[in-house]
Amino acid sequence: MVAVLAVGCSGAGQTPGARPATPSNPAPASEPEPEQASEPQVRTPFGEIMGIAWSPDGAHIAAVDLELSARVWDATTGELRGAMSRSELRGGAPVSVGFDDTGNEVRAGATRWRFADNQQTPLLIASGLSSDWRITLRAVDDAIDVVDTETGQPVHRLDDIAPNGAELHTSTADGPIVVCGSDELTIAAATGSVRGRVAVPSGQRWERFGCSVSPQGAYAAAATNAGEFVLIDAATATIVGSLGTHTAEDANRFTRFSDDGQRVVVFQDFVVREEPTLHVEVFEVPSRRQLASVDAGRAFPALVSLTRDASRLAAPGLEGGVEVYDVASGRRLATIETEMRGQRHVALSPTGDQVAVGAGKRVSVFVIESGERVAQWTVE
């Protein structure tokens, strides 16, 4: 069973559908009450939080554990709004969680989940996933099938594309498809016809997790193993220009667009004096004018949260705090002391004025300006 314990300003949460026995009306010992229909959705204990997300409307916070159990809470009170058991999930899914644009559905691992009525749709996730969760890639000999995630059936085939190590990036199922392999970056139309191929600079390779596509499908961004970031016109499959070069050894490189497609963010993490360091730069699209350069300190790109317009950035430090930055100026707005140790996952509210922090089996919500904790709850 899930127990939601509210602390501070939040009210105590209660599992939906549960009917606890009261002293005035105890359940008879000889005739145990049958299990309620809603019980199976919460019977699996929740492990440690491995991902957290805030809904676009700001109303809910979702979290997922390593076994891909998922929970959704009211963002203000911490009241449990839905629970999904790992026993109902498709195996081999990535450990991830996120809301759709309406805020009514959650993708936890490989399941699309409408948490209000616990309706679940298993998704096939092979290599990469479109932002609307409708298509994925599947390697077939010397080609790649574009596959419907719900039916598992191919809808298009990309011929003559080496599938080994390729990663799919696309805005929606109707937008351009970017296949990021180590030697070649291929851009195809939604119908599967290839628009063009972008060769990697001599002696380098594309970082397959360093590619991304703007939500509108107009541009792609990519990084090489030598630290070069580029902006690509998705319609013509040509490099528009550079987004900077960073040559730190053994670095991990990622790119991400803002929801309006007007900004692209490049990340590079590396080790300095045996401590991880994260460097973030933000560029205007398509001018490639640099808007900000932020050294987020001891954090990792996978744990960084951005507001939908990429105006604010939050990153967990290694000593229990969470650092929040204004992207335009690169100024640190706050260092929030969370008293939470271990790996912390953060999610900024849509307005950027609050941050949710998940660690272990606890979620805390803080006001960024004051650092005040306004809600906290745990899940078991």
Side-chain angles (χ1 to χ4, degrees):
M1 288 288 293
V2 174
V4 180
L5 306 178
V7 180
C9 298
S10 60
Q14 182 174 326
T15 303
R19 285 200 302 130
T22 64
S24 61
N25 184 28
S30 58
E31 295 181 25
E33 197 170 313
E35 186 174 356
Q36 299 299 308
S38 61
E39 282 294 298
Q41 64 172 315
V42 297
R43 67 176 180 264
T44 301
F46 192 90
E48 293 192 358
I49 293 171
M50 294 301 293
I52 191 169
W54 208 311
S55 64
D57 59 5
H60 297 100
I61 292 172
V64 67
D65 69 3
L66 186 60
E67 299 296 329
L68 293 176
S69 293
R71 304 289 187 264
V72 173
W73 301 275
D74 183 288
T76 301
T77 67
E79 182 177 358
L80 185 67
R81 295 303 190 192
M84 186 169 66
S85 167
R86 63 174 176 262
S87 64
E88 298 161 351
L89 299 176
R90 184 188 295 258
V95 179
S96 60
V97 64
F99 285 87
D100 72 345
D101 288 339
T102 69
N104 297 322
E105 289 190 341
V106 170
R107 183 175 70 81
T111 298
R112 197 176 70 198
W113 173 38
R114 195 170 66 195
F115 56 89
D117 59 5
N118 199 35
Q119 180 177 322
Q120 301 172 32
T121 304
L123 304 176
L124 172 69
I125 301 179
S127 175
L129 184 71
S130 63
S131 60
D132 58 5
W133 311 344
R134 289 170 54 192
I135 60 172
T136 186
L137 284 186
R138 183 166 58 198
V140 181
D141 298 326
D142 292 330
I144 293 177
D145 278 344
V146 180
V147 180
D148 185 294
T149 57
E150 292 191 15
T151 67
Q153 298 300 311
V155 292
H156 299 296
R157 173 164 289 188
L158 304 177
D159 292 312
D160 300 323
I161 298 177
N164 293 334
E167 183 76 11
L168 168 71
H169 300 273
T170 185
S171 51
T172 67
D174 301 320
I177 298 167
V178 176
V179 182
C180 193
S182 60
D183 298 324
E184 192 173 65
L185 189 151
T186 303
I187 299 181
T191 58
S193 59
V194 174
R195 293 180 177 176
R197 293 177 168 87
V198 183
V200 69
S202 177
Q204 302 181 42
R205 67 176 187 274
W206 294 116
E207 296 274 8
R208 68 188 184 100
F209 294 114
C211 299
S212 62
V213 183
S214 65
Q216 296 72 25
Y219 294 94
T224 74
N225 66 317
E228 183 176 355
F229 293 87
V230 295
L231 183 68
I232 300 168
D233 187 314
T236 60
T238 56
I239 294 177
V240 175
S242 174
L243 297 172
T245 301
H246 306 280
T247 57
E249 295 182 0
D250 300 322
N252 297 305
R253 300 174 180 89
F254 304 85
T255 61
R256 188 189 308 177
F257 284 86
S258 60
D259 284 4
D260 61 8
Q262 299 301 305
R263 295 177 175 183
V264 60
V265 186
V266 303
F267 303 87
Q268 181 172 243
D269 68 1
F270 47 93
V271 175
V272 176
R273 300 185 187 92
E274 300 184 354
E275 290 190 348
T277 298
L278 177 64
H279 181 72
V280 182
E281 293 186 5
V282 183
F283 295 85
E284 188 178 66
V285 175
S287 70
R288 295 177 288 110
R289 179 172 65 91
Q290 187 183 74
L291 301 176
S293 178
V294 176
D295 288 310
R298 293 162 290 186
F300 303 92
L303 303 180
V304 166
S305 175
L306 286 164
T307 53
R308 294 171 71 84
D309 62 356
S311 63
R312 287 192 171 185
L313 177 151
L318 294 183
E319 299 175 357
V322 172
E323 298 177 348
V324 182
Y325 296 85
D326 175 76
V327 170
S329 65
R331 182 172 60 91
R332 183 186 302 173
L333 297 176
T335 298
I336 298 172
E337 298 300 328
T338 68
E339 300 180 354
M340 302 167 78
R341 296 297 182 262
Q343 182 166 291
R344 293 170 307 288
H345 300 263
V346 299
L348 284 164
S349 66
T351 55
D353 61 338
Q354 294 185 329
V355 61
V357 186
K361 295 188 177 185
R362 185 171 63 181
V363 176
S364 298
V365 179
F366 297 88
V367 175
I368 292 171
E369 183 175 356
S370 65
E372 177 188 4
R373 187 179 66 199
V374 293
Q376 180 174 278
W377 57 89
T378 61
V379 56
E380 297 179 350

